[in-house]
Amino acid sequence: MIELKSVTRRFGNITAVDHIDLTIETGEVCVLVGSSGCGKSTTLRMINRLLPHSSGDIRVDGEDINDMDAQKLRLNMGYVIQGTGLFPHWTVARNIGMVPDLLKWPREKIDARVHELLTLLDLDPQTYSNQYPHQLSGGQAQRVGVARALAADPNILLMDEPFGALDAITRENLQLEMLRIQRQVRKTTVFVTHDIDEALRLATRIAVMDQGRIIQHDTPENILRRPASDFVENLVGKQDRGLKLMGLRPVRDLMTPHELPRPAEPGADGLNEEDSLRLALSVMLWQDLPQVAVFNTNGEETGVLSREILMQGGA
Amino acid sequence: MRVWLSPIVLITALIGLCLAMPLLEPVFQWVQPDKQSVIYQRESFLFLLQNHVMLVLISATIGTLTAVAGGIFVTRKAGRDFLPLVSQIASIGQTFPPVAVLALAVPVVGFGEGPTLVALVLYGLLPILRNTLVGLNGINPAVREAAQGMGMSPLQVLVRVELPLAGRIILAGIRTSVTINIATAAIGSTIGARTLGDPVIAGLVNGNTAYVLQGAILIGLLALATDSLFEAFERTWDQRFSPQAAGA
């Protein structure tokens, strides 16, 4: 758990972060969202003490971070940044093994961990272990960045616009990957972005920041349904809200389930239980279907979703 | 191993020439027919070479340690205020002509190797210092931030990340510095340091072109050998630390 109490950061006369209070529960993904210069990155960098805070209290699992050794604090926090910050003179494997190496793990344990993480991040260990960062694509490099942050199994993950410099397709892939990994490892995560869609997709709770203050701290659904101010309303897109809300909910929520899963007919087209209602609507509109079949991950048809129900309960 | 071939050949040629110079007497007789003695004999060439190399080696070691330490210091938080001052001192060292530094050093340190060493150290500082600063400042800030943010101590960041990444550029600075100093050390002969400049000075004073040639050829060969030694060094460094430059 990370607690910020009345935390302020000044640069000369400018107050970058202005008395913010924020509690991030263990295992949740808190996304700090706002335009550039709103203080979101500053807030993140105060949590691992890359920047000292001017006043207020920051506690990690109840302990004041100023009473802890800065290196020890950081070794227990994975850190992923936009430019990846991979060490160009080290191989992928050595990059990922950096924190375990600092913690003086035995060689075999580090090797095994690197192998495990490359597999988790969907990079073939055989191919990538001995490559250098400049041989990787942007998306692969950022996967390695995430792997490096997870290497010593830290309790906390800090991510500063990690996918900001990637193209839209790669970014979406990595976001989905993040959700998958997060379901497996459940790290307390603080994620900074200026992209509200990224925030809505990844967050357990979103903290909207503007001019050094937190305007609203709530679940994605509440941010969409009950924006605290005009600023938040504009940020999430006033008119676009219906679709964004549909984007948050999986098809499973509204489908009419069959009593027993049925084997799919060959070539049958449909949705996955995990797909969003927004995608379901899009499919229905495009193919002009009154209802669409829903499949589980094994490919069995588990239910149907009708247009009527979707319209009534979607947003 | 191949990269070491050309420095080995050049060094062998240099030492061989030092030993075999008397054998070339007929050639120099032809260059300078009007003189009795055409081979410089006041000191053996090997001794002069050894002394020359020692002077450059000692000054390069002192210069490198000082410049790299200075460069590291002024790029740390504590020393950042000194950055303009330090680069200024180093450039002043370079604007002085080497002869002037020698002349100024004589009243303080006396004649001989001492003042030459002072001049060489001062003279060799700037290229190394400048390259240290360029190398350290040229590191992608994200790399440094990641290193620090993931829990490396300042010393670990320096030793494991900054120096390996800046090392190639620092090495190039040392190469420039040493090459300049091989030439500058020869001028040390004017104030009594025993170097390969001795035959050159003696030849100029006595109007003996053969002496001048012998000194000049050996100094040139020494410069070439040293340069190829650095070339081999840099290649090896690339393979070890700079996969990008080596094209791995």
Coordinates of all heavy atoms in Angstrom, one line a residue, chain A residues 45 48-50 70-72 74-75 77-79 81 83-90 94 98-99 101-102 104 132 134-135 148-149 160, chain B residues 77 139-154 156 159-162 164-165 239-245 247-248:
Chain A
R45 N 7.8 10.1 -9.4 CA 9.2 10.2 -9.1 C 9.5 10.5 -7.6 O 10.6 10.3 -7.1 CB 9.9 11.2 -10.0 CG 10.0 10.7 -11.5 CD 10.2 11.8 -12.4 NE 11.4 12.5 -12.1 CZ 12.6 12.2 -12.6 NH1 12.7 11.3 -13.5 NH2 13.6 12.9 -12.3
N48 N 9.5 6.9 -5.6 CA 10.8 6.2 -5.4 C 12.0 7.1 -5.1 O 13.1 6.7 -5.2 CB 11.1 5.3 -6.6 CG 11.4 6.1 -7.9 OD1 11.3 7.3 -7.9 ND2 11.6 5.4 -9.0
R49 N 11.6 8.3 -4.6 CA 12.6 9.3 -4.1 C 13.6 9.7 -5.2 O 14.7 10.2 -4.8 CB 13.3 8.7 -2.9 CG 12.5 8.8 -1.7 CD 13.2 8.4 -0.4 NE 14.4 9.1 -0.1 CZ 15.3 8.7 0.8 NH1 15.0 7.6 1.6 NH2 16.3 9.4 1.1
L50 N 13.3 9.6 -6.5 CA 14.2 10.2 -7.5 C 14.1 11.7 -7.3 O 15.0 12.5 -7.6 CB 13.8 9.8 -8.9 CG 14.3 8.5 -9.4 CD1 13.8 8.1 -10.8 CD2 15.8 8.4 -9.3
A70 N 17.3 4.8 0.3 CA 16.8 5.1 -1.0 C 17.0 3.9 -1.9 O 16.1 3.5 -2.7 CB 17.4 6.3 -1.6
Q71 N 18.2 3.3 -1.9 CA 18.5 2.2 -2.8 C 17.6 1.0 -2.5 O 17.1 0.3 -3.4 CB 20.0 1.8 -2.7 CG 20.9 2.3 -3.7 CD 21.5 3.6 -3.3 OE1 22.1 3.7 -2.3 NE2 21.3 4.7 -4.1
K72 N 17.5 0.7 -1.2 CA 16.7 -0.4 -0.8 C 15.2 -0.3 -1.2 O 14.6 -1.2 -1.7 CB 16.8 -0.6 0.7 CG 16.9 -2.1 1.2 CD 17.1 -2.2 2.7 CE 18.4 -2.7 3.1 NZ 18.7 -2.5 4.5
R74 N 14.1 1.5 -3.7 CA 14.0 1.4 -5.2 C 14.1 0.0 -5.7 O 13.5 -0.4 -6.7 CB 15.0 2.3 -5.9 CG 14.7 3.7 -5.7 CD 15.9 4.6 -6.3 NE 15.8 6.0 -5.8 CZ 16.8 6.8 -5.7 NH1 18.0 6.3 -6.0 NH2 16.6 8.0 -5.3
L75 N 15.0 -0.8 -5.0 CA 15.1 -2.2 -5.4 C 13.8 -3.0 -5.2 O 13.6 -4.0 -5.9 CB 16.3 -2.9 -4.5 CG 17.7 -2.4 -4.9 CD1 18.7 -3.0 -3.9 CD2 18.1 -2.9 -6.3
M77 N 10.9 -1.6 -6.0 CA 10.0 -1.0 -6.9 C 10.4 -1.1 -8.3 O 11.4 -0.6 -8.7 CB 9.9 0.5 -6.5 CG 9.3 0.8 -5.2 SD 9.2 2.6 -5.0 CE 8.2 2.7 -3.5
G78 N 9.7 -1.9 -9.1 CA 10.0 -2.0 -10.5 C 9.8 -0.6 -11.1 O 8.8 0.1 -10.7
Y79 N 10.6 -0.2 -12.1 CA 10.5 1.1 -12.7 C 10.6 1.0 -14.2 O 11.5 0.5 -14.7 CB 11.6 2.0 -12.1 CG 11.5 3.5 -12.4 CD1 10.3 4.2 -12.3 CD2 12.7 4.2 -12.8 CE1 10.2 5.5 -12.6 CE2 12.6 5.5 -13.0 CZ 11.4 6.2 -13.0 OH 11.3 7.5 -13.2
I81 N 10.1 3.3 -17.8 CA 10.0 4.6 -18.3 C 9.8 4.6 -19.8 O 10.0 3.6 -20.4 CB 11.2 5.5 -17.9 CG1 12.5 4.9 -18.4 CG2 11.2 5.7 -16.4 CD1 13.7 5.7 -18.0
G83 N 11.3 6.0 -22.4 CA 12.4 5.7 -23.3 C 13.1 4.3 -23.1 O 14.1 4.0 -23.6
T84 N 12.4 3.5 -22.3 CA 12.9 2.1 -21.8 C 14.1 2.2 -20.9 O 14.1 1.6 -19.9 CB 13.2 1.1 -23.0 OG1 14.5 1.5 -23.6 CG2 12.1 1.1 -24.0
G85 N 15.1 3.1 -21.3 CA 16.3 3.2 -20.4 C 17.1 1.9 -20.3 O 17.7 1.6 -19.3
L86 N 16.9 1.0 -21.3 CA 17.7 -0.2 -21.3 C 19.2 0.2 -21.5 O 19.5 1.1 -22.1 CB 17.3 -1.1 -22.5 CG 15.9 -1.7 -22.4 CD1 15.6 -2.6 -23.6 CD2 15.7 -2.5 -21.1
F87 N 20.1 -0.6 -20.9 CA 21.5 -0.4 -20.9 C 22.1 -0.9 -22.3 O 22.1 -2.1 -22.5 CB 22.3 -1.0 -19.8 CG 21.7 -0.6 -18.5 CD1 21.2 -1.5 -17.5 CD2 21.6 0.8 -18.2 CE1 20.7 -1.1 -16.3 CE2 21.1 1.2 -17.0 CZ 20.6 0.3 -16.0
P88 N 22.5 0.0 -23.1 CA 22.9 -0.3 -24.5 C 24.1 -1.3 -24.6 O 24.2 -2.0 -25.6 CB 23.2 1.0 -25.2 CG 23.3 2.0 -24.1 CD 22.6 1.5 -22.9
H89 N 24.9 -1.3 -23.5 CA 26.1 -2.1 -23.6 C 25.9 -3.5 -22.9 O 26.8 -4.3 -22.8 CB 27.3 -1.4 -22.9 CG 27.0 -1.0 -21.5 ND1 25.9 -0.3 -21.1 CD2 27.7 -1.2 -20.4 CE1 26.0 -0.1 -19.8 NE2 27.1 -0.7 -19.3
W90 N 24.6 -3.8 -22.5 CA 24.3 -5.1 -21.9 C 23.3 -5.8 -22.8 O 22.5 -5.2 -23.4 CB 23.7 -4.9 -20.5 CG 24.7 -4.5 -19.5 CD1 26.0 -4.2 -19.7 CD2 24.4 -4.2 -18.1 NE1 26.6 -3.8 -18.5 CE2 25.6 -3.8 -17.5 CE3 23.2 -4.3 -17.3 CZ2 25.7 -3.5 -16.1 CZ3 23.3 -4.0 -16.0 CH2 24.5 -3.6 -15.4
R94 N 21.2 -9.7 -19.5 CA 21.8 -9.0 -18.4 C 21.0 -7.8 -18.0 O 21.0 -7.4 -16.8 CB 23.2 -8.5 -18.9 CG 24.1 -8.0 -17.8 CD 25.5 -8.2 -18.0 NE 26.2 -7.5 -16.9 CZ 27.3 -6.8 -17.0 NH1 27.8 -6.5 -18.2 NH2 27.8 -6.2 -15.9
M98 N 19.4 -7.3 -14.0 CA 20.1 -6.3 -13.3 C 19.8 -6.2 -11.8 O 20.7 -6.2 -11.0 CB 19.8 -4.9 -14.0 CG 20.2 -3.8 -13.1 SD 19.4 -2.3 -13.7 CE 19.6 -1.2 -12.3
V99 N 18.5 -6.1 -11.5 CA 18.2 -6.0 -10.0 C 18.5 -7.2 -9.2 O 19.1 -7.2 -8.2 CB 16.7 -5.5 -9.9 CG1 16.4 -5.4 -8.4 CG2 16.5 -4.2 -10.5
D101 N 20.9 -9.2 -9.8 CA 22.3 -9.1 -9.7 C 22.7 -8.2 -8.6 O 23.6 -8.4 -7.8 CB 22.9 -8.7 -11.0 CG 24.4 -8.7 -11.0 OD1 25.0 -9.7 -10.6 OD2 25.0 -7.7 -11.4
L102 N 22.0 -7.0 -8.5 CA 22.3 -6.0 -7.4 C 22.0 -6.7 -6.1 O 22.6 -6.4 -5.1 CB 21.5 -4.8 -7.6 CG 21.9 -3.8 -8.8 CD1 20.9 -2.7 -8.8 CD2 23.3 -3.3 -8.6
K104 N 22.4 -9.7 -5.4 CA 23.3 -10.8 -5.2 C 22.7 -12.1 -5.2 O 23.0 -13.0 -4.4 CB 24.2 -10.6 -4.0 CG 24.9 -9.3 -3.9 CD 26.1 -9.3 -3.0 CE 27.1 -8.2 -3.2 NZ 26.5 -6.8 -3.5
Y132 N 21.3 -7.4 -28.2 CA 21.5 -6.1 -27.6 C 20.3 -5.2 -27.8 O 19.6 -5.4 -28.8 CB 22.8 -5.4 -28.1 CG 24.0 -6.1 -27.5 CD1 24.6 -7.1 -28.1 CD2 24.5 -5.6 -26.3 CE1 25.7 -7.7 -27.6 CE2 25.6 -6.2 -25.7 CZ 26.2 -7.3 -26.4 OH 27.3 -7.9 -25.8
H134 N 19.7 -2.4 -29.1 CA 19.5 -1.7 -30.4 C 19.1 -2.7 -31.5 O 18.7 -2.3 -32.6 CB 20.8 -1.0 -30.9 CG 21.9 -2.0 -31.3 ND1 22.8 -2.6 -30.4 CD2 22.3 -2.4 -32.5 CE1 23.6 -3.4 -31.1 NE2 23.3 -3.3 -32.4
Q135 N 19.1 -4.0 -31.2 CA 18.6 -4.9 -32.2 C 17.1 -5.2 -32.0 O 16.5 -6.0 -32.8 CB 19.3 -6.3 -32.0 CG 20.8 -6.1 -32.4 CD 21.6 -7.4 -31.9 OE1 21.7 -7.7 -30.7 NE2 22.2 -8.0 -32.9
R148 N 12.4 -6.4 -17.0 CA 13.5 -5.9 -16.1 C 12.9 -5.4 -14.8 O 13.4 -5.6 -13.7 CB 14.3 -4.8 -16.8 CG 15.4 -4.3 -15.9 CD 16.3 -3.3 -16.6 NE 15.6 -2.1 -16.9 CZ 16.2 -1.0 -17.4 NH1 17.5 -1.1 -17.7 NH2 15.5 0.0 -17.7
A149 N 11.7 -4.7 -14.9 CA 11.1 -4.1 -13.7 C 10.5 -5.2 -12.8 O 10.5 -5.1 -11.6 CB 10.0 -3.2 -14.1
D160 N 6.1 5.1 -15.9 CA 6.0 6.5 -16.3 C 5.8 6.5 -17.9 O 6.7 6.5 -18.6 CB 7.2 7.2 -15.9 CG 7.0 8.7 -16.0 OD1 6.0 9.2 -16.6 OD2 7.9 9.5 -15.5
Chain B
K77 N 26.5 15.9 -8.8 CA 25.7 17.0 -8.3 C 26.6 18.0 -7.5 O 26.4 19.2 -7.6 CB 24.6 16.4 -7.4 CG 23.3 17.1 -7.5 CD 22.4 16.7 -6.3 CE 21.1 16.0 -6.8 NZ 20.4 15.2 -5.8
I139 N 25.4 10.5 -22.5 CA 24.6 9.3 -22.2 C 23.2 9.6 -22.1 O 22.8 10.6 -21.5 CB 25.1 8.7 -20.8 CG1 26.5 8.2 -20.9 CG2 24.2 7.6 -20.3 CD1 27.2 7.9 -19.6
N140 N 22.4 8.8 -22.8 CA 20.9 9.0 -22.8 C 20.4 9.2 -21.3 O 20.6 8.3 -20.5 CB 20.3 7.8 -23.5 CG 18.8 7.8 -23.5 OD1 18.2 8.7 -22.9 ND2 18.2 6.8 -24.1
P141 N 19.7 10.3 -21.0 CA 19.3 10.5 -19.6 C 18.4 9.4 -19.1 O 18.4 9.1 -17.9 CB 18.5 11.8 -19.7 CG 18.9 12.4 -21.0 CD 19.4 11.4 -21.9
A142 N 17.6 8.8 -20.1 CA 16.7 7.7 -19.6 C 17.5 6.5 -19.1 O 17.1 5.9 -18.1 CB 15.9 7.2 -20.8
V143 N 18.7 6.3 -19.6 CA 19.5 5.2 -19.1 C 20.0 5.5 -17.7 O 19.9 4.6 -16.8 CB 20.7 5.0 -20.0 CG1 21.7 4.0 -19.4 CG2 20.3 4.5 -21.4
R144 N 20.4 6.7 -17.5 CA 20.9 7.1 -16.1 C 19.7 7.0 -15.1 O 19.8 6.5 -14.0 CB 21.5 8.5 -16.2 CG 22.4 8.7 -15.0 CD 23.0 10.1 -15.1 NE 24.2 10.1 -15.9 CZ 24.4 11.0 -16.9 NH1 23.5 11.9 -17.2 NH2 25.5 11.0 -17.6
E145 N 18.6 7.5 -15.6 CA 17.4 7.5 -14.7 C 16.9 6.1 -14.4 O 16.6 5.8 -13.2 CB 16.2 8.3 -15.4 CG 14.9 8.0 -14.7 CD 13.9 9.1 -14.8 OE1 14.2 10.2 -15.4 OE2 12.7 8.9 -14.4
A146 N 17.0 5.3 -15.4 CA 16.6 3.9 -15.1 C 17.5 3.2 -14.1 O 17.1 2.6 -13.2 CB 16.6 3.1 -16.4
A147 N 18.8 3.4 -14.3 CA 19.8 2.8 -13.4 C 19.6 3.3 -12.0 O 19.6 2.5 -11.1 CB 21.2 3.2 -13.9
Q148 N 19.4 4.6 -11.8 CA 19.2 5.2 -10.5 C 17.8 4.7 -9.9 O 17.8 4.3 -8.8 CB 19.2 6.7 -10.7 CG 19.6 7.4 -9.4 CD 19.4 8.9 -9.6 OE1 19.2 9.4 -10.7 NE2 19.4 9.6 -8.5
G149 N 16.8 4.8 -10.8 CA 15.5 4.5 -10.3 C 15.3 3.0 -10.0 O 14.4 2.6 -9.2
M150 N 16.2 2.1 -10.5 CA 16.0 0.7 -10.2 C 16.9 0.3 -9.0 O 16.9 -0.9 -8.7 CB 16.3 -0.1 -11.4 CG 15.4 0.3 -12.5 SD 15.2 -1.0 -13.7 CE 14.6 -2.3 -12.8
G151 N 17.6 1.3 -8.4 CA 18.2 1.0 -7.1 C 19.7 0.9 -7.2 O 20.4 0.4 -6.3
M152 N 20.4 1.3 -8.3 CA 21.8 1.4 -8.3 C 22.3 2.5 -7.4 O 21.7 3.6 -7.4 CB 22.4 1.6 -9.7 CG 22.4 0.3 -10.5 SD 23.5 0.6 -12.0 CE 23.2 -0.9 -12.9
S153 N 23.4 2.3 -6.7 CA 24.0 3.4 -5.9 C 24.7 4.3 -6.9 O 25.0 3.9 -8.0 CB 24.9 2.9 -4.9 OG 26.1 2.3 -5.5
P154 N 25.0 5.6 -6.5 CA 25.7 6.5 -7.4 C 27.0 5.9 -8.0 O 27.3 6.0 -9.1 CB 26.0 7.7 -6.6 CG 24.9 7.7 -5.5 CD 24.6 6.3 -5.3
Q156 N 27.7 2.6 -8.3 CA 27.3 1.6 -9.3 C 26.9 2.2 -10.6 O 27.3 1.6 -11.7 CB 26.2 0.7 -8.7 CG 26.7 -0.2 -7.6 CD 25.6 -0.9 -6.9 OE1 24.5 -0.3 -6.7 NE2 25.8 -2.1 -6.4
V159 N 30.2 3.2 -12.3 CA 31.2 2.2 -12.7 C 30.5 1.2 -13.7 O 31.2 0.8 -14.7 CB 31.7 1.4 -11.5 CG1 32.5 0.2 -11.9 CG2 32.5 2.3 -10.6
R160 N 29.2 0.9 -13.5 CA 28.6 -0.1 -14.4 C 28.0 0.4 -15.6 O 27.8 -0.3 -16.6 CB 27.5 -0.9 -13.6 CG 28.1 -1.6 -12.4 CD 27.0 -2.6 -11.9 NE 27.5 -3.2 -10.7 CZ 26.9 -4.2 -10.1 NH1 25.8 -4.8 -10.7 NH2 27.3 -4.7 -9.0
V161 N 27.6 1.7 -15.5 CA 26.8 2.3 -16.7 C 27.6 3.4 -17.3 O 27.9 3.4 -18.5 CB 25.4 2.7 -16.2 CG1 24.7 3.3 -17.4 CG2 24.7 1.6 -15.6
E162 N 27.9 4.4 -16.5 CA 28.4 5.7 -17.2 C 29.8 5.5 -17.8 O 30.0 5.8 -18.9 CB 28.5 6.8 -16.1 CG 27.1 7.3 -15.8 CD 27.1 8.4 -14.8 OE1 27.6 8.3 -13.7 OE2 26.7 9.5 -15.2
P164 N 31.5 2.6 -18.7 CA 31.6 1.8 -19.9 C 31.0 2.5 -21.1 O 31.5 2.3 -22.2 CB 30.7 0.6 -19.5 CG 30.8 0.5 -18.0 CD 30.9 1.9 -17.5
L165 N 29.9 3.3 -20.9 CA 29.3 3.9 -22.0 C 30.1 5.1 -22.5 O 30.2 5.4 -23.7 CB 27.9 4.4 -21.7 CG 26.8 3.3 -21.6 CD1 25.5 3.8 -21.1 CD2 26.7 2.5 -22.9
Q239 N 34.3 -4.4 -28.9 CA 33.8 -5.8 -28.8 C 33.2 -6.1 -27.4 O 32.3 -6.8 -27.2 CB 34.9 -6.8 -29.1 CG 35.0 -7.0 -30.6 CD 36.3 -7.6 -31.0 OE1 37.0 -8.1 -30.2 NE2 36.7 -7.4 -32.3
R240 N 33.9 -5.5 -26.4 CA 33.5 -5.7 -25.0 C 32.3 -4.9 -24.6 O 31.4 -5.4 -24.0 CB 34.8 -5.4 -24.2 CG 34.6 -5.6 -22.7 CD 34.8 -7.0 -22.3 NE 34.6 -7.2 -20.8 CZ 33.4 -7.1 -20.3 NH1 32.3 -6.9 -21.0 NH2 33.3 -7.2 -19.0
F241 N 32.3 -3.6 -24.9 CA 31.4 -2.7 -24.3 C 30.4 -2.0 -25.2 O 29.4 -1.5 -24.8 CB 32.1 -1.6 -23.5 CG 32.7 -2.1 -22.2 CD1 34.1 -2.0 -22.1 CD2 32.0 -2.6 -21.2 CE1 34.7 -2.5 -20.9 CE2 32.6 -3.1 -20.1 CZ 34.0 -3.0 -19.9
S242 N 30.8 -1.8 -26.5 CA 29.9 -1.0 -27.4 C 29.5 -1.9 -28.6 O 30.0 -1.8 -29.6 CB 30.6 0.2 -27.9 OG 31.5 0.7 -27.0
P243 N 28.5 -2.8 -28.3 CA 28.0 -3.6 -29.4 C 27.5 -2.8 -30.6 O 27.6 -3.3 -31.7 CB 26.8 -4.4 -28.7 CG 26.5 -3.6 -27.5 CD 27.7 -2.9 -27.1
Q244 N 27.0 -1.6 -30.3 CA 26.5 -0.8 -31.5 C 27.6 -0.5 -32.4 O 27.5 -0.6 -33.6 CB 25.9 0.5 -31.0 CG 24.4 0.4 -30.8 CD 23.9 1.3 -29.8 OE1 24.3 1.4 -28.7 NE2 22.9 2.1 -30.2
A245 N 28.8 0.0 -31.9 CA 29.9 0.5 -32.7 C 30.5 -0.7 -33.4 O 31.0 -0.6 -34.5 CB 30.9 1.2 -31.8
G247 N 29.0 -3.3 -34.3 CA 28.1 -3.9 -35.3 C 27.8 -5.3 -35.0 O 27.6 -6.1 -35.9
A248 N 27.8 -5.7 -33.7 CA 27.5 -7.1 -33.3 C 26.1 -7.5 -33.7 O 25.2 -6.7 -33.7 CB 27.7 -7.2 -31.8

